[in-house]
Amino acid sequence: MEFVELKEAIEKIHLVDSHAHNIVSVDSSFPFIKCFTEAEDDALTLAPHSLSFKRSVREIAELYGCDPSLAAIEKHRKTVGLESITSKCFQAARISAVLIDDGLSLDKKRDIQWHKTFVPHVGRILRIERLAEDILNVDAPDGLTWTLDTFTAAFKEHLRSYPFCFTSLGFLYLILCMAKLKLELRTD
């Protein structure tokens, strides 16, 4: 009996996805199979033989109401449309907040605002290595060459101007709000 109660309690919980990536259009060049694995090249051809891949395909096909194959799932996604599929997946997973790492270079990726249509709370994760790369790809100020000091100054300036949606305190505040606790948080 206790496992039934535990399962019922778990079924009612709303989730926070603390590290997601932008959803891309169904006609993106990003292969759908890469949603199941980080494998590359020859290893990618082995992904469909893994237990996690087979289970994921079976569960997604059940959610979509289609045959349990990658081809059937991809066909269903294109037929039904991205918005419908996204809504169905977020609702089924009971995701109430998502933090998006949008530092990956993906074609036809949806912006942060688009995701807010499906999830009440959406924030952006700052990928600091991407910020550092962007800074270094621009000439150093005043025609100087980059030094550790000039880079550090530029990096700090970019951080100060970054539109933080969720700092560590912001994330804590989100959790507290979701728990309906009202605490005053100070950032000083």
Side-chain angles (χ1 to χ4, degrees):
M1 184 64 174
E2 63 190 43
F3 292 116
V4 171
E5 292 170 355
L6 177 62
K7 184 177 183 205
E8 287 174 0
I10 290 171
E11 295 284 333
K12 294 177 185 174
I13 294 174
H14 286 260
L15 304 175
V16 174
D17 187 340
S18 62
H19 189 167
H21 296 279
N22 303 67
I23 292 175
V24 298
S25 296
V26 291
D27 61 342
S28 168
S29 65
F30 186 77
F32 183 61
I33 193 171
K34 296 277 292 169
C35 296
F36 301 93
T37 180
E38 292 185 13
E40 297 284 340
D41 304 321
D42 291 339
L44 187 59
T45 62
L46 301 174
H49 304 290
S50 71
L51 292 177
S52 61
F53 180 88
K54 290 176 181 182
R55 180 178 180 166
S56 295
V57 165
R58 185 181 71 238
E59 289 178 355
I60 291 170
E62 184 179 320
L63 177 66
Y64 291 176
C66 66
D67 290 335
S69 71
L70 188 61
I73 290 170
E74 287 186 279
K75 180 180 178 186
H76 182 77
R77 291 176 74 241
K78 290 177 181 174
T79 302
V80 173
L82 186 64
E83 285 76 10
S84 177
I85 291 298
T86 302
S87 179
K88 181 176 250 181
C89 289
F90 277 123
Q91 287 174 6
R94 292 179 313 284
I95 295 177
S96 61
V98 63
L99 300 177
I100 298 178
D101 171 358
D102 63 351
L104 292 180
S105 295
L106 301 169
D107 75 311
K108 300 183 182 179
K109 70 180 177 181
R110 301 301 178 145
D111 62 18
I112 300 292
Q113 195 62 37
W114 182 88
H115 291 78
K116 291 180 180 181
T117 306
F118 307 100
V119 184
H121 305 284
V122 178
R124 184 176 184 208
I125 296 173
L126 173 61
R127 184 178 273 227
I128 60 171
E129 68 273 19
R130 180 65 179 252
L131 177 61
E133 183 180 320
D134 290 346
I135 292 169
L136 291 173
N137 283 334
V138 175
D139 291 334
D142 300 323
L144 303 172
T145 57
W146 285 115
T147 65
L148 184 56
D149 289 336
T150 57
F151 171 76
T152 302
F155 190 76
K156 285 181 179 179
E157 187 60 35
H158 278 79
L159 284 178
R160 281 189 205 98
S161 67
Y162 191 84
F164 285 104
C165 296
F166 293 97
T167 61
S168 57
L169 283 178
F171 184 64
L172 175 61
Y173 182 70
L174 169 70
I175 299 291
L176 295 173
C177 286
M178 289 170 51
K180 296 188 174 132
L181 297 175
K182 295 187 180 190
L183 300 177
E184 184 178 333
L185 295 176
R186 295 177 56 192
T187 58
D188 54 1

PDB file of all heavy atoms in Angstrom, residues 84-110:
ATOM      1  N   SER A  84       1.747  21.989 -30.737  1.00  0.00           N
ATOM      2  CA  SER A  84       0.905  20.944 -30.147  1.00  0.00           C
ATOM      3  C   SER A  84       1.745  19.910 -29.397  1.00  0.00           C
ATOM      4  O   SER A  84       1.415  19.520 -28.274  1.00  0.00           O
ATOM      5  CB  SER A  84       0.086  20.263 -31.245  1.00  0.00           C
ATOM      6  OG  SER A  84      -0.670  19.206 -30.711  1.00  0.00           O
ATOM      7  N   ILE A  85       2.820  19.486 -30.028  1.00  0.00           N
ATOM      8  CA  ILE A  85       3.697  18.488 -29.411  1.00  0.00           C
ATOM      9  C   ILE A  85       4.349  19.061 -28.153  1.00  0.00           C
ATOM     10  O   ILE A  85       4.428  18.397 -27.120  1.00  0.00           O
ATOM     11  CB  ILE A  85       4.789  18.032 -30.421  1.00  0.00           C
ATOM     12  CG1 ILE A  85       4.145  17.236 -31.536  1.00  0.00           C
ATOM     13  CG2 ILE A  85       5.889  17.245 -29.740  1.00  0.00           C
ATOM     14  CD1 ILE A  85       3.451  15.975 -31.104  1.00  0.00           C
ATOM     15  N   THR A  86       4.824  20.291 -28.227  1.00  0.00           N
ATOM     16  CA  THR A  86       5.481  20.918 -27.080  1.00  0.00           C
ATOM     17  C   THR A  86       4.521  21.026 -25.905  1.00  0.00           C
ATOM     18  O   THR A  86       4.860  20.675 -24.772  1.00  0.00           O
ATOM     19  CB  THR A  86       6.019  22.310 -27.464  1.00  0.00           C
ATOM     20  OG1 THR A  86       6.923  22.170 -28.554  1.00  0.00           O
ATOM     21  CG2 THR A  86       6.729  22.964 -26.296  1.00  0.00           C
ATOM     22  N   SER A  87       3.321  21.483 -26.176  1.00  0.00           N
ATOM     23  CA  SER A  87       2.317  21.612 -25.130  1.00  0.00           C
ATOM     24  C   SER A  87       2.024  20.260 -24.485  1.00  0.00           C
ATOM     25  O   SER A  87       1.997  20.131 -23.258  1.00  0.00           O
ATOM     26  CB  SER A  87       1.037  22.203 -25.713  1.00  0.00           C
ATOM     27  OG  SER A  87       0.053  22.315 -24.724  1.00  0.00           O
ATOM     28  N   LYS A  88       1.841  19.258 -25.307  1.00  0.00           N
ATOM     29  CA  LYS A  88       1.537  17.913 -24.808  1.00  0.00           C
ATOM     30  C   LYS A  88       2.674  17.379 -23.933  1.00  0.00           C
ATOM     31  O   LYS A  88       2.431  16.818 -22.861  1.00  0.00           O
ATOM     32  CB  LYS A  88       1.291  16.963 -25.979  1.00  0.00           C
ATOM     33  CG  LYS A  88       0.941  15.553 -25.554  1.00  0.00           C
ATOM     34  CD  LYS A  88       0.626  14.693 -26.759  1.00  0.00           C
ATOM     35  CE  LYS A  88      -0.850  14.422 -26.711  1.00  0.00           C
ATOM     36  NZ  LYS A  88      -1.359  13.593 -27.755  1.00  0.00           N
ATOM     37  N   CYS A  89       3.903  17.573 -24.365  1.00  0.00           N
ATOM     38  CA  CYS A  89       5.052  17.056 -23.607  1.00  0.00           C
ATOM     39  C   CYS A  89       5.232  17.780 -22.270  1.00  0.00           C
ATOM     40  O   CYS A  89       5.453  17.138 -21.243  1.00  0.00           O
ATOM     41  CB  CYS A  89       6.326  17.152 -24.448  1.00  0.00           C
ATOM     42  SG  CYS A  89       6.370  15.978 -25.814  1.00  0.00           S
ATOM     43  N   PHE A  90       5.137  19.104 -22.288  1.00  0.00           N
ATOM     44  CA  PHE A  90       5.280  19.848 -21.032  1.00  0.00           C
ATOM     45  C   PHE A  90       4.161  19.502 -20.061  1.00  0.00           C
ATOM     46  O   PHE A  90       4.396  19.372 -18.860  1.00  0.00           O
ATOM     47  CB  PHE A  90       5.326  21.358 -21.280  1.00  0.00           C
ATOM     48  CG  PHE A  90       6.691  21.869 -21.654  1.00  0.00           C
ATOM     49  CD1 PHE A  90       6.879  22.565 -22.836  1.00  0.00           C
ATOM     50  CD2 PHE A  90       7.783  21.677 -20.829  1.00  0.00           C
ATOM     51  CE1 PHE A  90       8.132  23.050 -23.187  1.00  0.00           C
ATOM     52  CE2 PHE A  90       9.035  22.153 -21.168  1.00  0.00           C
ATOM     53  CZ  PHE A  90       9.214  22.841 -22.352  1.00  0.00           C
ATOM     54  N   GLN A  91       2.952  19.356 -20.555  1.00  0.00           N
ATOM     55  CA  GLN A  91       1.834  19.003 -19.677  1.00  0.00           C
ATOM     56  C   GLN A  91       2.008  17.603 -19.103  1.00  0.00           C
ATOM     57  O   GLN A  91       1.795  17.380 -17.916  1.00  0.00           O
ATOM     58  CB  GLN A  91       0.505  19.115 -20.421  1.00  0.00           C
ATOM     59  CG  GLN A  91       0.083  20.539 -20.661  1.00  0.00           C
ATOM     60  CD  GLN A  91      -1.173  20.635 -21.522  1.00  0.00           C
ATOM     61  OE1 GLN A  91      -1.806  19.644 -21.856  1.00  0.00           O
ATOM     62  NE2 GLN A  91      -1.525  21.864 -21.888  1.00  0.00           N
ATOM     63  N   ALA A  92       2.391  16.650 -19.944  1.00  0.00           N
ATOM     64  CA  ALA A  92       2.560  15.270 -19.489  1.00  0.00           C
ATOM     65  C   ALA A  92       3.683  15.161 -18.453  1.00  0.00           C
ATOM     66  O   ALA A  92       3.583  14.387 -17.500  1.00  0.00           O
ATOM     67  CB  ALA A  92       2.850  14.353 -20.674  1.00  0.00           C
ATOM     68  N   ALA A  93       4.727  15.953 -18.629  1.00  0.00           N
ATOM     69  CA  ALA A  93       5.862  15.914 -17.697  1.00  0.00           C
ATOM     70  C   ALA A  93       5.611  16.758 -16.451  1.00  0.00           C
ATOM     71  O   ALA A  93       6.384  16.703 -15.504  1.00  0.00           O
ATOM     72  CB  ALA A  93       7.130  16.382 -18.398  1.00  0.00           C
ATOM     73  N   ARG A  94       4.542  17.552 -16.474  1.00  0.00           N
ATOM     74  CA  ARG A  94       4.201  18.449 -15.366  1.00  0.00           C
ATOM     75  C   ARG A  94       5.376  19.378 -15.033  1.00  0.00           C
ATOM     76  O   ARG A  94       5.734  19.563 -13.882  1.00  0.00           O
ATOM     77  CB  ARG A  94       3.760  17.653 -14.142  1.00  0.00           C
ATOM     78  CG  ARG A  94       2.439  16.952 -14.345  1.00  0.00           C
ATOM     79  CD  ARG A  94       2.008  16.136 -13.160  1.00  0.00           C
ATOM     80  NE  ARG A  94       2.996  15.264 -12.569  1.00  0.00           N
ATOM     81  CZ  ARG A  94       3.397  14.099 -13.063  1.00  0.00           C
ATOM     82  NH1 ARG A  94       2.885  13.659 -14.176  1.00  0.00           N
ATOM     83  NH2 ARG A  94       4.299  13.361 -12.448  1.00  0.00           N
ATOM     84  N   ILE A  95       5.947  19.967 -16.063  1.00  0.00           N
ATOM     85  CA  ILE A  95       7.043  20.914 -15.874  1.00  0.00           C
ATOM     86  C   ILE A  95       6.450  22.291 -15.648  1.00  0.00           C
ATOM     87  O   ILE A  95       5.692  22.797 -16.465  1.00  0.00           O
ATOM     88  CB  ILE A  95       7.991  20.913 -17.086  1.00  0.00           C
ATOM     89  CG1 ILE A  95       8.675  19.548 -17.185  1.00  0.00           C
ATOM     90  CG2 ILE A  95       9.014  22.039 -16.969  1.00  0.00           C
ATOM     91  CD1 ILE A  95       9.578  19.386 -18.381  1.00  0.00           C
ATOM     92  N   SER A  96       6.793  22.878 -14.509  1.00  0.00           N
ATOM     93  CA  SER A  96       6.246  24.194 -14.176  1.00  0.00           C
ATOM     94  C   SER A  96       7.284  25.299 -14.299  1.00  0.00           C
ATOM     95  O   SER A  96       6.937  26.471 -14.274  1.00  0.00           O
ATOM     96  CB  SER A  96       5.666  24.186 -12.763  1.00  0.00           C
ATOM     97  OG  SER A  96       6.682  23.879 -11.829  1.00  0.00           O
ATOM     98  N   ALA A  97       8.546  24.915 -14.427  1.00  0.00           N
ATOM     99  CA  ALA A  97       9.612  25.910 -14.604  1.00  0.00           C
ATOM    100  C   ALA A  97      10.741  25.262 -15.384  1.00  0.00           C
ATOM    101  O   ALA A  97      11.028  24.075 -15.218  1.00  0.00           O
ATOM    102  CB  ALA A  97      10.121  26.413 -13.259  1.00  0.00           C
ATOM    103  N   VAL A  98      11.366  26.059 -16.232  1.00  0.00           N
ATOM    104  CA  VAL A  98      12.478  25.544 -17.029  1.00  0.00           C
ATOM    105  C   VAL A  98      13.550  26.628 -17.126  1.00  0.00           C
ATOM    106  O   VAL A  98      13.244  27.806 -17.331  1.00  0.00           O
ATOM    107  CB  VAL A  98      12.008  25.064 -18.426  1.00  0.00           C
ATOM    108  CG1 VAL A  98      11.433  26.183 -19.243  1.00  0.00           C
ATOM    109  CG2 VAL A  98      13.113  24.368 -19.180  1.00  0.00           C
ATOM    110  N   LEU A  99      14.784  26.225 -16.937  1.00  0.00           N
ATOM    111  CA  LEU A  99      15.933  27.109 -17.114  1.00  0.00           C
ATOM    112  C   LEU A  99      16.638  26.670 -18.386  1.00  0.00           C
ATOM    113  O   LEU A  99      17.060  25.519 -18.508  1.00  0.00           O
ATOM    114  CB  LEU A  99      16.878  27.025 -15.911  1.00  0.00           C
ATOM    115  CG  LEU A  99      16.246  27.410 -14.580  1.00  0.00           C
ATOM    116  CD1 LEU A  99      17.242  27.229 -13.441  1.00  0.00           C
ATOM    117  CD2 LEU A  99      15.747  28.839 -14.624  1.00  0.00           C
ATOM    118  N   ILE A 100      16.751  27.601 -19.329  1.00  0.00           N
ATOM    119  CA  ILE A 100      17.256  27.252 -20.659  1.00  0.00           C
ATOM    120  C   ILE A 100      18.676  27.758 -20.858  1.00  0.00           C
ATOM    121  O   ILE A 100      18.960  28.935 -20.688  1.00  0.00           O
ATOM    122  CB  ILE A 100      16.328  27.817 -21.752  1.00  0.00           C
ATOM    123  CG1 ILE A 100      14.946  27.189 -21.615  1.00  0.00           C
ATOM    124  CG2 ILE A 100      16.910  27.583 -23.141  1.00  0.00           C
ATOM    125  CD1 ILE A 100      13.933  27.705 -22.599  1.00  0.00           C
ATOM    126  N   ASP A 101      19.535  26.830 -21.226  1.00  0.00           N
ATOM    127  CA  ASP A 101      20.902  27.140 -21.627  1.00  0.00           C
ATOM    128  C   ASP A 101      20.846  27.338 -23.138  1.00  0.00           C
ATOM    129  O   ASP A 101      20.822  26.383 -23.898  1.00  0.00           O
ATOM    130  CB  ASP A 101      21.811  25.970 -21.249  1.00  0.00           C
ATOM    131  CG  ASP A 101      23.212  26.071 -21.814  1.00  0.00           C
ATOM    132  OD1 ASP A 101      23.506  27.043 -22.549  1.00  0.00           O
ATOM    133  OD2 ASP A 101      24.022  25.169 -21.544  1.00  0.00           O
ATOM    134  N   ASP A 102      20.776  28.605 -23.560  1.00  0.00           N
ATOM    135  CA  ASP A 102      20.635  28.878 -24.992  1.00  0.00           C
ATOM    136  C   ASP A 102      21.980  29.177 -25.656  1.00  0.00           C
ATOM    137  O   ASP A 102      22.024  29.788 -26.715  1.00  0.00           O
ATOM    138  CB  ASP A 102      19.637  29.999 -25.247  1.00  0.00           C
ATOM    139  CG  ASP A 102      20.058  31.333 -24.659  1.00  0.00           C
ATOM    140  OD1 ASP A 102      21.049  31.372 -23.906  1.00  0.00           O
ATOM    141  OD2 ASP A 102      19.396  32.335 -24.953  1.00  0.00           O
ATOM    142  N   GLY A 103      23.052  28.684 -25.060  1.00  0.00           N
ATOM    143  CA  GLY A 103      24.381  28.925 -25.610  1.00  0.00           C
ATOM    144  C   GLY A 103      24.777  27.990 -26.733  1.00  0.00           C
ATOM    145  O   GLY A 103      25.828  28.169 -27.338  1.00  0.00           O
ATOM    146  N   LEU A 104      23.969  26.982 -27.014  1.00  0.00           N
ATOM    147  CA  LEU A 104      24.290  26.084 -28.125  1.00  0.00           C
ATOM    148  C   LEU A 104      23.910  26.747 -29.442  1.00  0.00           C
ATOM    149  O   LEU A 104      22.895  27.429 -29.532  1.00  0.00           O
ATOM    150  CB  LEU A 104      23.511  24.770 -28.004  1.00  0.00           C
ATOM    151  CG  LEU A 104      23.882  23.847 -26.861  1.00  0.00           C
ATOM    152  CD1 LEU A 104      23.011  22.593 -26.910  1.00  0.00           C
ATOM    153  CD2 LEU A 104      25.347  23.458 -26.914  1.00  0.00           C
ATOM    154  N   SER A 105      24.724  26.513 -30.440  1.00  0.00           N
ATOM    155  CA  SER A 105      24.415  27.033 -31.777  1.00  0.00           C
ATOM    156  C   SER A 105      23.527  26.024 -32.483  1.00  0.00           C
ATOM    157  O   SER A 105      23.992  24.990 -32.943  1.00  0.00           O
ATOM    158  CB  SER A 105      25.706  27.251 -32.570  1.00  0.00           C
ATOM    159  OG  SER A 105      26.474  28.251 -31.976  1.00  0.00           O
ATOM    160  N   LEU A 106      22.250  26.318 -32.529  1.00  0.00           N
ATOM    161  CA  LEU A 106      21.277  25.453 -33.189  1.00  0.00           C
ATOM    162  C   LEU A 106      20.504  26.287 -34.199  1.00  0.00           C
ATOM    163  O   LEU A 106      20.130  27.417 -33.901  1.00  0.00           O
ATOM    164  CB  LEU A 106      20.288  24.879 -32.163  1.00  0.00           C
ATOM    165  CG  LEU A 106      20.876  24.047 -31.024  1.00  0.00           C
ATOM    166  CD1 LEU A 106      19.819  23.791 -29.959  1.00  0.00           C
ATOM    167  CD2 LEU A 106      21.419  22.733 -31.563  1.00  0.00           C
ATOM    168  N   ASP A 107      20.269  25.722 -35.362  1.00  0.00           N
ATOM    169  CA  ASP A 107      19.454  26.478 -36.327  1.00  0.00           C
ATOM    170  C   ASP A 107      17.980  26.322 -35.973  1.00  0.00           C
ATOM    171  O   ASP A 107      17.564  25.313 -35.416  1.00  0.00           O
ATOM    172  CB  ASP A 107      19.745  26.010 -37.756  1.00  0.00           C
ATOM    173  CG  ASP A 107      19.131  24.663 -38.083  1.00  0.00           C
ATOM    174  OD1 ASP A 107      19.300  23.729 -37.276  1.00  0.00           O
ATOM    175  OD2 ASP A 107      18.470  24.546 -39.126  1.00  0.00           O
ATOM    176  N   LYS A 108      17.229  27.344 -36.254  1.00  0.00           N
ATOM    177  CA  LYS A 108      15.784  27.373 -36.053  1.00  0.00           C
ATOM    178  C   LYS A 108      15.376  27.084 -34.611  1.00  0.00           C
ATOM    179  O   LYS A 108      14.342  26.472 -34.359  1.00  0.00           O
ATOM    180  CB  LYS A 108      15.100  26.410 -37.021  1.00  0.00           C
ATOM    181  CG  LYS A 108      15.373  26.777 -38.471  1.00  0.00           C
ATOM    182  CD  LYS A 108      14.635  25.884 -39.418  1.00  0.00           C
ATOM    183  CE  LYS A 108      14.998  26.277 -40.851  1.00  0.00           C
ATOM    184  NZ  LYS A 108      14.350  25.441 -41.830  1.00  0.00           N
ATOM    185  N   LYS A 109      16.219  27.551 -33.672  1.00  0.00           N
ATOM    186  CA  LYS A 109      15.844  27.352 -32.273  1.00  0.00           C
ATOM    187  C   LYS A 109      14.862  28.428 -31.846  1.00  0.00           C
ATOM    188  O   LYS A 109      14.916  29.561 -32.311  1.00  0.00           O
ATOM    189  CB  LYS A 109      17.071  27.316 -31.359  1.00  0.00           C
ATOM    190  CG  LYS A 109      17.804  28.619 -31.168  1.00  0.00           C
ATOM    191  CD  LYS A 109      18.992  28.415 -30.241  1.00  0.00           C
ATOM    192  CE  LYS A 109      19.789  29.691 -30.079  1.00  0.00           C
ATOM    193  NZ  LYS A 109      20.939  29.484 -29.203  1.00  0.00           N
ATOM    194  N   ARG A 110      13.950  28.040 -30.972  1.00  0.00           N
ATOM    195  CA  ARG A 110      12.940  28.960 -30.466  1.00  0.00           C
ATOM    196  C   ARG A 110      13.546  29.772 -29.325  1.00  0.00           C
ATOM    197  O   ARG A 110      14.335  29.260 -28.527  1.00  0.00           O
ATOM    198  CB  ARG A 110      11.709  28.194 -29.975  1.00  0.00           C
ATOM    199  CG  ARG A 110      11.056  27.356 -31.045  1.00  0.00           C
ATOM    200  CD  ARG A 110      10.628  28.221 -32.221  1.00  0.00           C
ATOM    201  NE  ARG A 110      10.044  27.393 -33.263  1.00  0.00           N
ATOM    202  CZ  ARG A 110       9.056  27.764 -34.016  1.00  0.00           C
ATOM    203  NH1 ARG A 110       8.529  28.962 -33.903  1.00  0.00           N
ATOM    204  NH2 ARG A 110       8.580  26.957 -34.930  1.00  0.00           N
TER     205      ARG A 110
END
